[in-house]
Amino acid sequence: MKRTALAEKHEQLGARMVDFAGWYMPVQYSGIIEEHKTVRSTAGLFDLGHMGQVEVTGNDALAFLNYIGSNDISGLEPGAAIYSLMLNPNGGVIDDIIIYRHPSGVGYFVVINASNTDKDVAWLQEQAAKRDDLDVNVNHISESTGMIAIQGPNAAEIVTKLSSVDLNDMSHFSMRETTIAGVECLAGRTGYTGEDGWEFYFPVDQCATVWDALMSAGDDLGIKPIGLGARDTLRLEARMPLYGNEMDDETNPYDAGLGWAVKLDRDDFVGRDALVAAREQGINRRTVGFKMVERGGVPRSHYEVQVDGKQVGYVTSGTASPTLGENIGLAIIDKAYAGAGKPLDIMIRGKAVKAEQMKMPFYKRGA
Amino acid sequence: MDIPKDYKFTKTHEWVKVEGDVVTIGISDFAQAELGDITYLELPPVGQSINKADPLGVVESVKAASDVYSPVSGEIVEENSNVIDAPELVNSSPYDDAWLVKIRISDPSQLEELMDSGAYSKLVAESGGH
Protein backbone atom coordinates (compact mmCIF):
# COMPACT_ATOMS: atom_id res chain seq x y z
CA MET A 1 0.00 0.00 0.00
CA LYS A 2 1.13 3.53 -0.72
CA ARG A 3 1.52 5.86 2.24
CA THR A 4 0.99 9.59 2.27
CA ALA A 5 3.60 11.77 3.98
CA LEU A 6 1.21 11.99 6.96
CA ALA A 7 0.58 8.26 7.49
CA GLU A 8 2.67 8.10 10.66
CA LYS A 9 0.85 11.12 12.06
CA HIS A 10 -2.51 9.42 11.53
CA GLU A 11 -1.27 6.36 13.39
CA GLN A 12 -0.08 8.56 16.27
CA LEU A 13 -3.50 10.21 16.35
CA GLY A 14 -5.06 6.77 16.80
CA ALA A 15 -6.73 6.62 13.42
CA ARG A 16 -8.20 3.41 12.10
CA MET A 17 -6.22 2.88 8.91
CA VAL A 18 -7.58 1.08 5.85
CA ASP A 19 -6.65 0.26 2.28
CA PHE A 20 -8.38 2.89 0.15
CA ALA A 21 -7.67 2.59 -3.58
CA GLY A 22 -4.26 1.16 -2.75
CA TRP A 23 -3.47 3.87 -0.19
CA TYR A 24 -3.00 3.40 3.55
CA MET A 25 -5.52 5.99 4.74
CA PRO A 26 -7.40 6.98 7.92
CA VAL A 27 -11.07 5.99 7.75
CA GLN A 28 -11.80 7.50 11.16
CA TYR A 29 -10.13 8.92 14.26
CA SER A 30 -12.76 9.44 16.97
CA GLY A 31 -15.75 8.11 15.01
CA ILE A 32 -17.55 9.00 11.81
CA ILE A 33 -20.57 10.71 13.36
CA GLU A 34 -18.49 12.83 15.74
CA GLU A 35 -16.07 13.81 12.98
CA HIS A 36 -18.95 14.63 10.65
CA LYS A 37 -20.49 16.93 13.27
CA THR A 38 -17.11 18.56 13.89
CA VAL A 39 -16.92 19.63 10.24
CA ARG A 40 -20.48 20.96 10.35
CA SER A 41 -19.94 22.88 13.60
CA THR A 42 -16.24 23.91 13.81
CA ALA A 43 -13.54 22.70 11.43
CA GLY A 44 -12.00 19.51 10.13
CA LEU A 45 -8.62 18.73 8.60
CA PHE A 46 -8.26 16.18 5.82
CA ASP A 47 -5.13 14.50 4.50
CA LEU A 48 -5.81 14.24 0.77
CA GLY A 49 -2.29 13.18 -0.14
CA HIS A 50 -3.72 10.21 -2.02
CA MET A 51 -5.48 12.39 -4.59
CA GLY A 52 -3.92 12.96 -7.99
CA GLN A 53 -2.73 16.18 -9.58
CA VAL A 54 -1.74 16.97 -13.14
CA GLU A 55 -0.33 20.16 -14.62
CA VAL A 56 -1.41 20.94 -18.15
CA THR A 57 0.71 23.52 -19.93
CA GLY A 58 1.55 24.60 -23.48
CA ASN A 59 0.01 27.08 -25.91
CA ASP A 60 -2.95 24.79 -26.53
CA ALA A 61 -3.62 23.70 -22.94
CA LEU A 62 -7.05 25.36 -23.07
CA ALA A 63 -8.02 23.62 -26.31
CA PHE A 64 -6.78 20.31 -24.96
CA LEU A 65 -8.75 20.52 -21.70
CA ASN A 66 -11.84 21.50 -23.67
CA TYR A 67 -11.26 18.45 -25.85
CA ILE A 68 -10.92 15.93 -23.01
CA GLY A 69 -13.48 17.58 -20.71
CA SER A 70 -17.28 17.87 -20.84
CA ASN A 71 -17.37 21.41 -19.50
CA ASP A 72 -16.32 24.54 -21.37
CA ILE A 73 -13.31 26.19 -19.76
CA SER A 74 -12.92 28.94 -22.39
CA GLY A 75 -14.07 31.65 -20.00
CA LEU A 76 -11.93 30.49 -17.09
CA GLU A 77 -9.99 33.49 -15.71
CA PRO A 78 -6.62 33.09 -14.00
CA GLY A 79 -7.32 31.78 -10.50
CA ALA A 80 -10.75 30.39 -11.36
CA ALA A 81 -11.86 26.76 -11.10
CA ILE A 82 -14.46 24.61 -12.82
CA TYR A 83 -15.87 21.11 -12.38
CA SER A 84 -15.66 18.94 -15.48
CA LEU A 85 -15.98 15.32 -16.53
CA MET A 86 -13.57 13.28 -18.61
CA LEU A 87 -15.66 11.09 -20.86
CA ASN A 88 -14.89 8.04 -22.94
CA PRO A 89 -16.06 7.93 -26.57
CA ASN A 90 -19.27 6.18 -25.43
CA GLY A 91 -20.16 9.09 -23.17
CA GLY A 92 -19.36 7.17 -19.96
CA VAL A 93 -17.43 8.97 -17.25
CA ILE A 94 -13.70 8.26 -16.90
CA ASP A 95 -13.47 10.61 -13.94
CA ASP A 96 -14.77 13.85 -12.52
CA ILE A 97 -12.11 16.49 -12.19
CA ILE A 98 -11.57 20.02 -10.97
CA ILE A 99 -9.67 22.24 -13.37
CA TYR A 100 -8.02 25.32 -11.90
CA ARG A 101 -6.51 27.93 -14.18
CA HIS A 102 -3.24 28.75 -12.50
CA PRO A 103 -3.44 32.16 -10.73
CA SER A 104 -0.38 33.27 -12.75
CA GLY A 105 -2.41 32.75 -15.91
CA VAL A 106 0.07 30.17 -17.18
CA GLY A 107 -1.26 26.64 -17.48
CA TYR A 108 -3.85 24.62 -15.60
CA PHE A 109 -3.85 22.52 -12.46
CA VAL A 110 -6.13 19.48 -12.56
CA VAL A 111 -7.20 17.46 -9.51
CA ILE A 112 -8.26 13.86 -10.06
CA ASN A 113 -9.58 11.03 -7.91
CA ALA A 114 -7.10 8.84 -6.04
CA SER A 115 -8.71 5.66 -7.32
CA ASN A 116 -8.43 6.87 -10.91
CA THR A 117 -5.02 8.52 -10.94
CA ASP A 118 -3.16 5.92 -13.00
CA LYS A 119 -6.06 5.50 -15.43
CA ASP A 120 -6.53 9.26 -15.82
CA VAL A 121 -2.87 10.08 -16.34
CA ALA A 122 -2.51 7.34 -18.95
CA TRP A 123 -5.67 8.58 -20.69
CA LEU A 124 -4.54 12.22 -20.69
CA GLN A 125 -1.11 11.32 -22.01
CA GLU A 126 -2.63 9.12 -24.70
CA GLN A 127 -5.01 11.87 -25.80
CA ALA A 128 -2.19 14.42 -25.80
CA ALA A 129 -0.09 12.13 -27.99
CA LYS A 130 -3.01 11.61 -30.39
CA ARG A 131 -3.60 15.34 -30.70
CA ASP A 132 -0.18 16.12 -32.10
CA ASP A 133 -1.77 19.20 -33.68
CA LEU A 134 -1.91 20.69 -30.18
CA ASP A 135 1.00 22.17 -28.24
CA VAL A 136 0.31 20.65 -24.83
CA ASN A 137 2.24 19.03 -21.98
CA VAL A 138 0.64 16.76 -19.38
CA ASN A 139 2.82 16.62 -16.27
CA HIS A 140 1.90 14.15 -13.58
CA ILE A 141 2.81 15.87 -10.30
CA SER A 142 0.95 13.73 -7.71
CA GLU A 143 4.11 12.39 -6.11
CA SER A 144 5.65 15.79 -5.55
CA THR A 145 2.41 17.48 -4.44
CA GLY A 146 0.96 17.45 -0.93
CA MET A 147 -2.75 18.13 -0.46
CA ILE A 148 -4.55 19.03 2.75
CA ALA A 149 -8.09 20.35 3.07
CA ILE A 150 -9.70 22.34 5.85
CA GLN A 151 -13.48 22.52 5.92
CA GLY A 152 -16.03 23.97 8.31
CA PRO A 153 -17.49 27.23 9.61
CA ASN A 154 -14.26 28.07 11.50
CA ALA A 155 -11.97 27.34 8.54
CA ALA A 156 -11.69 30.99 7.49
CA GLU A 157 -10.68 32.14 10.96
CA ILE A 158 -8.05 29.41 11.19
CA VAL A 159 -6.42 29.94 7.80
CA THR A 160 -6.40 33.72 8.32
CA LYS A 161 -3.94 33.20 11.19
CA LEU A 162 -1.46 31.45 8.89
CA SER A 163 -1.79 32.81 5.37
CA SER A 164 0.40 35.52 3.88
CA VAL A 165 -2.44 36.92 1.79
CA ASP A 166 -6.13 37.41 2.49
CA LEU A 167 -7.89 34.19 1.61
CA ASN A 168 -11.23 35.32 2.95
CA ASP A 169 -12.20 37.50 0.02
CA MET A 170 -11.70 34.63 -2.43
CA SER A 171 -14.86 33.54 -4.18
CA HIS A 172 -16.02 29.93 -4.07
CA PHE A 173 -14.30 27.81 -6.74
CA SER A 174 -11.23 30.01 -7.05
CA MET A 175 -7.50 29.59 -6.47
CA ARG A 176 -4.85 31.90 -5.07
CA GLU A 177 -1.13 31.73 -4.33
CA THR A 178 -0.27 32.17 -0.67
CA THR A 179 1.96 30.84 2.04
CA ILE A 180 0.61 28.83 4.94
CA ALA A 181 2.99 28.95 7.90
CA GLY A 182 5.72 29.99 5.46
CA VAL A 183 5.07 27.16 3.00
CA GLU A 184 4.27 28.26 -0.54
CA CYS A 185 0.84 26.92 -1.44
CA LEU A 186 -1.84 27.06 -4.04
CA ALA A 187 -5.08 27.57 -2.13
CA GLY A 188 -8.33 26.48 -3.75
CA ARG A 189 -11.55 27.60 -2.09
CA THR A 190 -13.34 24.41 -2.92
CA GLY A 191 -14.31 21.37 -0.94
CA TYR A 192 -16.25 18.20 -0.73
CA THR A 193 -18.32 18.64 2.42
CA GLY A 194 -20.88 21.38 1.79
CA GLU A 195 -18.95 23.69 4.14
CA ASP A 196 -16.70 26.68 3.53
CA GLY A 197 -13.07 25.74 3.25
CA TRP A 198 -9.86 25.41 1.32
CA GLU A 199 -7.73 22.78 -0.29
CA PHE A 200 -4.00 23.52 -0.13
CA TYR A 201 -1.43 22.20 -2.60
CA PHE A 202 2.27 22.47 -1.78
CA PRO A 203 5.58 20.56 -2.03
CA VAL A 204 5.01 17.11 -0.56
CA ASP A 205 7.93 17.39 1.88
CA GLN A 206 6.05 20.22 3.63
CA CYS A 207 3.03 18.09 4.60
CA ALA A 208 3.87 17.90 8.30
CA THR A 209 4.54 21.65 8.53
CA VAL A 210 1.20 22.57 6.97
CA TRP A 211 -0.74 19.94 8.93
CA ASP A 212 0.78 20.88 12.29
CA ALA A 213 0.34 24.61 11.69
CA LEU A 214 -3.35 24.21 10.83
CA MET A 215 -3.93 21.89 13.80
CA SER A 216 -2.26 24.38 16.18
CA ALA A 217 -4.00 27.43 14.72
CA GLY A 218 -7.33 25.63 14.98
CA ASP A 219 -6.79 24.16 18.41
CA ASP A 220 -8.94 26.73 20.25
CA LEU A 221 -11.46 26.76 17.39
CA GLY A 222 -12.32 23.08 17.61
CA ILE A 223 -10.33 21.69 14.71
CA LYS A 224 -10.07 17.89 14.50
CA PRO A 225 -8.59 15.50 11.95
CA ILE A 226 -11.28 13.89 9.79
CA GLY A 227 -11.14 10.50 8.10
CA LEU A 228 -12.50 9.17 4.85
CA GLY A 229 -15.63 7.79 6.54
CA ALA A 230 -16.95 11.24 7.46
CA ARG A 231 -15.75 12.63 4.14
CA ASP A 232 -18.22 10.26 2.51
CA THR A 233 -21.20 11.10 4.75
CA LEU A 234 -20.46 14.83 4.39
CA ARG A 235 -20.26 14.71 0.61
CA LEU A 236 -23.43 12.65 0.38
CA GLU A 237 -25.45 15.13 2.49
CA ALA A 238 -24.15 17.88 0.22
CA ARG A 239 -25.10 15.75 -2.81
CA MET A 240 -21.56 15.73 -4.18
CA PRO A 241 -21.15 12.81 -6.57
CA LEU A 242 -18.56 10.11 -5.97
CA TYR A 243 -16.82 8.37 -8.80
CA GLY A 244 -17.73 4.67 -8.82
CA ASN A 245 -21.07 5.39 -7.12
CA GLU A 246 -23.02 8.14 -8.88
CA MET A 247 -20.98 7.80 -12.07
CA ASP A 248 -18.69 5.36 -13.80
CA ASP A 249 -17.43 4.33 -17.22
CA GLU A 250 -20.86 2.97 -18.13
CA THR A 251 -23.04 5.85 -16.90
CA ASN A 252 -23.54 8.99 -18.92
CA PRO A 253 -23.56 12.38 -17.16
CA TYR A 254 -27.26 12.96 -17.75
CA ASP A 255 -28.30 9.80 -15.90
CA ALA A 256 -25.87 10.73 -13.13
CA GLY A 257 -27.50 14.14 -12.69
CA LEU A 258 -24.37 15.86 -13.98
CA GLY A 259 -25.78 17.27 -17.19
CA TRP A 260 -24.99 20.74 -15.83
CA ALA A 261 -21.29 19.95 -16.29
CA VAL A 262 -21.76 19.16 -19.99
CA LYS A 263 -21.62 21.93 -22.61
CA LEU A 264 -22.56 20.43 -25.97
CA ASP A 265 -22.77 23.71 -27.84
CA ARG A 266 -19.11 23.93 -28.83
CA ASP A 267 -16.38 22.18 -30.77
CA ASP A 268 -15.89 18.46 -30.65
CA PHE A 269 -14.83 16.83 -27.42
CA VAL A 270 -14.37 13.20 -26.45
CA GLY A 271 -17.79 11.66 -25.84
CA ARG A 272 -19.75 14.50 -27.46
CA ASP A 273 -21.24 12.41 -30.28
CA ALA A 274 -22.43 9.77 -27.84
CA LEU A 275 -24.08 12.38 -25.63
CA VAL A 276 -25.79 14.04 -28.59
CA ALA A 277 -27.14 10.65 -29.61
CA ALA A 278 -28.22 9.91 -26.03
CA ARG A 279 -30.16 13.16 -25.90
CA GLU A 280 -31.82 12.46 -29.24
CA GLN A 281 -32.96 9.10 -27.95
CA GLY A 282 -34.21 10.76 -24.80
CA ILE A 283 -32.81 10.81 -21.29
CA ASN A 284 -34.94 8.35 -19.40
CA ARG A 285 -33.18 8.18 -16.07
CA ARG A 286 -32.65 10.62 -13.23
CA THR A 287 -30.51 10.71 -10.14
CA VAL A 288 -32.74 11.44 -7.16
CA GLY A 289 -32.27 11.77 -3.43
CA PHE A 290 -34.45 10.01 -0.90
CA LYS A 291 -34.86 9.38 2.79
CA MET A 292 -36.17 6.22 4.37
CA VAL A 293 -39.58 6.75 5.96
CA GLU A 294 -39.84 3.26 7.40
CA ARG A 295 -37.45 1.38 9.64
CA GLY A 296 -35.66 -1.44 7.92
CA GLY A 297 -32.06 -0.47 7.52
CA VAL A 298 -29.64 1.80 5.78
CA PRO A 299 -29.79 2.01 1.98
CA ARG A 300 -26.51 1.01 0.36
CA SER A 301 -24.93 1.24 -3.05
CA HIS A 302 -26.45 -1.18 -5.63
CA TYR A 303 -29.61 -1.92 -3.63
CA GLU A 304 -32.59 -2.30 -5.96
CA VAL A 305 -35.23 0.45 -6.10
CA GLN A 306 -38.83 -0.58 -6.77
CA VAL A 307 -42.20 1.06 -7.31
CA ASP A 308 -45.29 -1.17 -7.04
CA GLY A 309 -43.07 -4.26 -7.03
CA LYS A 310 -41.26 -3.36 -10.24
CA GLN A 311 -37.58 -2.46 -10.40
CA VAL A 312 -37.18 1.17 -11.48
CA GLY A 313 -33.53 1.75 -10.62
CA TYR A 314 -30.78 1.25 -8.08
CA VAL A 315 -29.19 3.04 -5.16
CA THR A 316 -25.86 4.70 -5.95
CA SER A 317 -24.95 5.88 -2.42
CA GLY A 318 -26.60 5.67 0.95
CA THR A 319 -25.83 6.20 4.60
CA ALA A 320 -27.16 7.20 7.98
CA SER A 321 -27.06 11.00 7.83
CA PRO A 322 -25.53 12.42 11.01
CA THR A 323 -27.00 15.89 10.37
CA LEU A 324 -30.54 14.80 9.52
CA GLY A 325 -30.67 11.79 11.81
CA GLU A 326 -32.26 9.88 8.93
CA ASN A 327 -31.19 7.19 6.53
CA ILE A 328 -30.66 8.81 3.16
CA GLY A 329 -29.47 7.89 -0.29
CA LEU A 330 -29.12 8.73 -3.95
CA ALA A 331 -30.54 6.51 -6.67
CA ILE A 332 -30.66 6.40 -10.45
CA ILE A 333 -34.28 5.69 -11.42
CA ASP A 334 -36.62 5.82 -14.41
CA LYS A 335 -37.62 9.43 -14.98
CA ALA A 336 -41.34 8.62 -14.79
CA TYR A 337 -41.03 7.90 -11.07
CA ALA A 338 -38.81 10.86 -10.19
CA GLY A 339 -40.01 13.84 -8.17
CA ALA A 340 -39.66 15.27 -4.68
CA GLY A 341 -42.27 13.73 -2.39
CA LYS A 342 -42.84 10.67 -4.58
CA PRO A 343 -42.48 7.27 -2.94
CA LEU A 344 -39.88 4.59 -3.64
CA ASP A 345 -39.30 1.17 -2.14
CA ILE A 346 -35.70 0.30 -1.35
CA MET A 347 -35.01 -3.44 -1.31
CA ILE A 348 -33.06 -4.03 1.90
CA ARG A 349 -32.14 -7.66 2.50
CA GLY A 350 -35.06 -8.84 0.40
CA LYS A 351 -37.66 -6.56 1.97
CA ALA A 352 -39.26 -3.50 0.40
CA VAL A 353 -38.68 -0.59 2.78
CA LYS A 354 -40.52 2.68 2.15
CA ALA A 355 -38.62 5.79 1.13
CA GLU A 356 -39.62 9.23 -0.05
CA GLN A 357 -37.80 11.39 -2.56
CA MET A 358 -36.42 14.66 -1.25
CA LYS A 359 -35.26 17.95 -2.69
CA MET A 360 -31.49 18.04 -3.09
CA PRO A 361 -29.09 18.66 -1.49
CA PHE A 362 -29.94 17.00 1.83
CA TYR A 363 -27.80 19.61 3.55
CA LYS A 364 -27.08 23.17 2.52
CA ARG A 365 -24.88 25.48 4.55
CA GLY A 366 -26.82 28.31 6.19
CA ALA A 367 -30.15 26.84 5.09
CA MET B 1 -10.05 -3.63 24.44
CA ASP B 2 -12.51 -4.99 26.99
CA ILE B 3 -12.86 -8.80 27.08
CA PRO B 4 -14.84 -10.03 30.13
CA LYS B 5 -13.42 -13.15 31.74
CA ASP B 6 -16.74 -14.89 32.38
CA TYR B 7 -18.06 -14.62 28.80
CA LYS B 8 -17.53 -16.97 25.87
CA PHE B 9 -16.81 -15.82 22.32
CA THR B 10 -17.07 -16.83 18.67
CA LYS B 11 -14.56 -16.35 15.88
CA THR B 12 -17.07 -13.96 14.31
CA HIS B 13 -16.92 -11.73 17.43
CA GLU B 14 -20.21 -12.52 19.16
CA TRP B 15 -20.18 -12.95 22.94
CA VAL B 16 -22.18 -15.44 24.98
CA LYS B 17 -23.11 -15.24 28.63
CA VAL B 18 -24.39 -18.52 30.00
CA GLU B 19 -27.11 -18.67 32.69
CA GLY B 20 -28.56 -22.15 32.94
CA ASP B 21 -30.11 -23.21 29.65
CA VAL B 22 -30.57 -19.61 28.46
CA VAL B 23 -27.68 -17.71 26.92
CA THR B 24 -27.45 -13.97 26.32
CA ILE B 25 -25.78 -12.87 23.10
CA GLY B 26 -24.17 -9.67 21.90
CA ILE B 27 -21.22 -8.46 19.87
CA SER B 28 -17.79 -7.86 21.36
CA ASP B 29 -16.09 -4.59 22.14
CA PHE B 30 -13.64 -5.38 19.36
CA ALA B 31 -16.50 -5.88 16.88
CA GLN B 32 -18.26 -2.63 17.80
CA ALA B 33 -14.98 -0.71 17.49
CA GLU B 34 -14.31 -2.26 14.08
CA LEU B 35 -17.81 -1.39 12.85
CA GLY B 36 -17.82 2.18 14.11
CA ASP B 37 -21.00 4.11 14.85
CA ILE B 38 -23.91 1.65 14.94
CA THR B 39 -27.12 3.08 13.52
CA TYR B 40 -29.52 0.18 13.03
CA LEU B 41 -30.12 -3.37 14.25
CA GLU B 42 -32.26 -6.13 12.86
CA LEU B 43 -33.02 -9.05 15.21
CA PRO B 44 -35.15 -12.18 14.88
CA PRO B 45 -38.57 -12.32 16.54
CA VAL B 46 -39.11 -14.06 19.85
CA GLY B 47 -40.16 -17.65 19.29
CA GLN B 48 -38.02 -18.21 16.22
CA SER B 49 -35.71 -21.20 16.11
CA ILE B 50 -32.20 -20.69 14.95
CA ASN B 51 -29.24 -22.90 14.11
CA LYS B 52 -25.71 -22.35 15.24
CA ALA B 53 -23.73 -20.20 12.76
CA ASP B 54 -26.86 -18.99 10.95
CA PRO B 55 -27.33 -15.24 10.58
CA LEU B 56 -28.96 -14.04 13.78
CA GLY B 57 -29.39 -10.47 12.74
CA VAL B 58 -27.82 -7.49 11.08
CA VAL B 59 -25.82 -4.67 12.59
CA GLU B 60 -25.58 -1.56 10.46
CA SER B 61 -22.95 1.07 11.02
CA VAL B 62 -22.59 4.32 9.12
CA LYS B 63 -20.19 2.48 6.85
CA ALA B 64 -21.75 -0.92 6.19
CA ALA B 65 -24.17 -3.68 7.11
CA SER B 66 -22.72 -6.74 8.87
CA ASP B 67 -24.31 -10.05 9.81
CA VAL B 68 -24.34 -11.32 13.37
CA TYR B 69 -24.17 -15.11 13.62
CA SER B 70 -25.82 -17.29 16.21
CA PRO B 71 -23.22 -18.89 18.49
CA VAL B 72 -25.62 -21.72 19.40
CA SER B 73 -28.77 -23.48 18.22
CA GLY B 74 -32.02 -22.87 20.04
CA GLU B 75 -35.09 -20.69 20.34
CA ILE B 76 -35.16 -16.91 20.69
CA VAL B 77 -36.84 -16.24 24.04
CA GLU B 78 -36.21 -12.51 24.40
CA GLU B 79 -34.93 -9.62 22.34
CA ASN B 80 -33.56 -6.35 23.67
CA SER B 81 -35.98 -3.67 22.55
CA ASN B 82 -33.83 -0.97 24.18
CA VAL B 83 -30.98 -1.64 21.79
CA ILE B 84 -33.31 -1.65 18.79
CA ASP B 85 -34.51 1.81 19.81
CA ALA B 86 -30.99 3.02 20.60
CA PRO B 87 -28.47 1.08 18.49
CA GLU B 88 -25.63 3.35 19.67
CA LEU B 89 -25.75 1.36 22.94
CA VAL B 90 -23.74 -1.26 21.07
CA ASN B 91 -20.88 1.23 20.91
CA SER B 92 -21.15 2.47 24.48
CA SER B 93 -22.02 -0.72 26.35
CA PRO B 94 -21.43 -3.79 24.19
CA TYR B 95 -21.38 -6.31 27.07
CA ASP B 96 -24.17 -4.97 29.25
CA ASP B 97 -26.90 -2.65 27.97
CA ALA B 98 -26.46 -3.76 24.37
CA TRP B 99 -27.16 -7.46 24.67
CA LEU B 100 -29.10 -8.46 21.55
CA VAL B 101 -31.13 -11.61 22.23
CA LYS B 102 -31.52 -14.47 24.69
CA ILE B 103 -31.63 -17.98 23.30
CA ARG B 104 -32.80 -21.17 25.04
CA ILE B 105 -30.13 -23.59 23.90
CA SER B 106 -31.09 -26.93 22.42
CA ASP B 107 -27.64 -28.52 22.57
CA PRO B 108 -25.52 -27.51 25.59
CA SER B 109 -22.49 -29.32 24.16
CA GLN B 110 -22.18 -26.49 21.61
CA LEU B 111 -21.02 -24.23 24.42
CA GLU B 112 -17.82 -26.22 24.64
CA GLU B 113 -16.96 -25.21 21.07
CA LEU B 114 -16.89 -21.53 22.00
CA MET B 115 -13.72 -19.66 22.92
CA ASP B 116 -12.93 -18.56 26.43
CA SER B 117 -11.73 -15.00 27.01
CA GLY B 118 -8.07 -16.03 26.79
CA ALA B 119 -8.45 -17.65 23.38
CA TYR B 120 -10.54 -14.70 22.20
CA SER B 121 -7.93 -12.19 23.41
CA LYS B 122 -5.40 -14.01 21.28
CA LEU B 123 -7.69 -13.91 18.24
CA VAL B 124 -8.28 -10.18 18.67
CA ALA B 125 -4.55 -9.52 19.04
CA GLU B 126 -3.93 -11.43 15.81
CA SER B 127 -6.68 -9.41 14.09
CA GLY B 128 -4.82 -6.22 14.87
CA GLY B 129 -6.90 -5.27 17.87
CA HIS B 130 -5.29 -3.57 20.83
Side-chain angles (χ1 to χ4, degrees):
Chain A
M1 267 189 283
K2 290 180 277 189
R3 295 167 70 93
T4 73
L6 295 166
E8 207 170 315
K9 206 169 278 293
H10 302 315
E11 288 174 343
Q12 287 162 4
L13 287 162
R16 175 178 303 281
M17 304 297 288
V18 296
D19 179 353
F20 179 82
W23 288 84
Y24 180 67
M25 296 297 291
V27 64
Q28 64 174 60
Y29 302 83
S30 58
I32 293 174
I33 292 176
E34 191 182 325
E35 290 167 34
H36 181 111
K37 290 181 172 171
T38 296
V39 176
R40 292 269 180 261
S41 60
T42 57
L45 203 58
F46 299 79
D47 174 15
L48 302 180
H50 61 316
M51 291 191 71
Q53 296 89 17
V54 171
E55 254 174 15
V56 180
T57 56
N59 290 327
D60 297 317
L62 165 62
F64 178 72
L65 288 168
N66 265 345
Y67 174 69
I68 60 88
S70 67
N71 215 334
D72 184 0
I73 67 162
S74 304
L76 210 59
E77 300 288 334
I82 196 166
Y83 178 86
S84 189
L85 302 165
M86 287 204 297
L87 304 177
N88 59 39
N90 299 325
V93 182
I94 294 172
D95 201 3
D96 62 339
I97 58 180
I98 291 181
I99 302 172
Y100 293 98
R101 187 166 173 203
H102 198 281
S104 69
V106 179
Y108 296 83
F109 185 88
V110 180
V111 183
I112 57 190
N113 280 304
S115 54
N116 289 338
T117 300
D118 293 345
K119 176 180 85 165
D120 288 6
V121 171
W123 171 259
L124 285 166
Q125 285 172 342
E126 186 189 324
Q127 297 308 308
K130 264 191 204 164
R131 290 295 304 267
D132 56 8
D133 57 319
L134 298 180
D135 169 21
V136 63
N137 305 302
V138 174
N139 308 313
H140 184 204
I141 56 168
S142 301
E143 283 191 11
S144 59
T145 307
M147 180 174 176
I148 289 173
I150 180 169
Q151 293 275 298
N154 292 348
E157 196 176 339
I158 294 166
V159 300
T160 300
K161 295 184 185 177
L162 299 169
S163 57
S164 56
V165 302
D166 187 6
L167 297 180
N168 215 5
D169 65 350
M170 290 173 70
S171 56
H172 187 57
F173 257 66
S174 71
M175 173 174 266
R176 185 169 289 178
E177 290 175 288
T178 186
T179 68
I180 288 290
V183 176
E184 283 187 24
C185 293
L186 288 171
R189 196 169 200 170
T190 53
Y192 197 53
T193 63
E195 298 300 327
D196 184 22
W198 285 265
E199 291 176 338
F200 296 110
Y201 308 89
F202 46 83
V204 71
D205 58 359
Q206 298 297 315
C207 273
T209 304
V210 175
W211 179 273
D212 291 343
L214 287 163
M215 283 295 280
S216 301
D219 190 36
D220 57 346
L221 290 162
I223 199 169
K224 293 275 164 55
I226 310 298
L228 295 175
R231 186 169 161 84
D232 191 51
T233 54
L234 289 158
R235 70 94 194 163
L236 182 51
E237 284 183 351
R239 204 253 176 267
M240 309 258 183
L242 174 63
Y243 188 85
N245 287 46
E246 278 65 50
M247 70 196 115
D248 56 34
D249 293 86
E250 308 286 321
T251 312
N252 80 46
Y254 300 115
D255 290 347
L258 298 171
W260 59 271
V262 178
K263 300 293 184 297
L264 288 179
D265 188 20
R266 58 193 180 93
D267 288 349
D268 189 34
F269 61 90
V270 180
R272 184 177 184 280
D273 292 348
L275 296 189
V276 169
R279 282 180 68 111
E280 278 170 4
Q281 284 166 19
I283 304 301
N284 298 317
R285 302 199 295 172
R286 281 266 165 81
T287 293
V288 299
F290 63 87
K291 67 172 181 183
M292 305 306 301
V293 294
E294 186 182 14
R295 282 177 74 104
V298 182
R300 308 281 180 188
S301 180
H302 304 303
Y303 282 8
E304 191 175 317
V305 178
Q306 293 188 350
V307 173
D308 296 331
K310 183 182 107 178
Q311 179 169 8
V312 301
Y314 62 94
V315 175
T316 57
S317 291
T319 194
S321 160
T323 304
L324 277 64
E326 313 242 29
N327 294 325
I328 61 167
L330 297 172
I332 293 184
I333 64 168
D334 292 349
K335 190 172 73 175
Y337 301 97
K342 288 190 180 175
L344 298 173
D345 289 330
I346 312 299
M347 300 305 291
I348 301 181
R349 293 181 285 277
K351 272 183 281 184
V353 185
K354 288 190 176 65
E356 182 183 288
Q357 293 176 58
M358 288 177 75
K359 278 189 188 158
M360 292 290 98
F362 298 103
Y363 169 85
K364 199 170 167 57
R365 176 161 49 109
Chain B
M1 193 58 57
D2 190 12
I3 300 175
K5 291 266 184 288
D6 50 342
Y7 285 31
K8 293 182 178 297
F9 296 87
T10 65
K11 282 181 190 158
T12 45
H13 306 289
E14 292 84 13
W15 58 257
V16 178
K17 189 172 143 196
V18 184
E19 285 161 309
D21 64 344
V22 172
V23 297
T24 307
I25 289 160
I27 68 167
S28 74
D29 190 25
F30 175 77
Q32 70 77 19
E34 285 288 307
L35 292 167
D37 298 309
I38 308 293
T39 60
Y40 179 78
L41 289 170
E42 204 164 271
L43 298 173
V46 170
Q48 185 174 306
S49 294
I50 192 151
N51 290 319
K52 180 184 156 92
D54 279 357
L56 172 67
V58 175
V59 178
E60 295 219 31
S61 70
V62 175
K63 276 183 294 181
S66 309
D67 286 322
V68 177
Y69 298 96
S70 185
V72 293
S73 302
E75 184 194 330
I76 310 290
V77 292
E78 201 177 336
E79 68 169 23
N80 183 356
S81 59
N82 289 338
V83 78
I84 291 173
D85 293 338
E88 63 276 12
L89 285 174
V90 176
N91 295 118
S92 58
S93 179
Y95 294 115
D96 298 307
D97 299 339
W99 62 274
L100 301 179
V101 294
K102 296 187 181 190
I103 295 179
R104 175 164 292 118
I105 49 176
S106 56
D107 178 5
S109 73
Q110 288 178 344
L111 295 174
E112 289 157 27
E113 297 157 23
L114 300 171
M115 277 181 274
D116 63 17
S117 63
Y120 184 65
S121 298
K122 198 158 166 265
L123 177 82
V124 166
E126 284 162 5
S127 311
H130 42 78

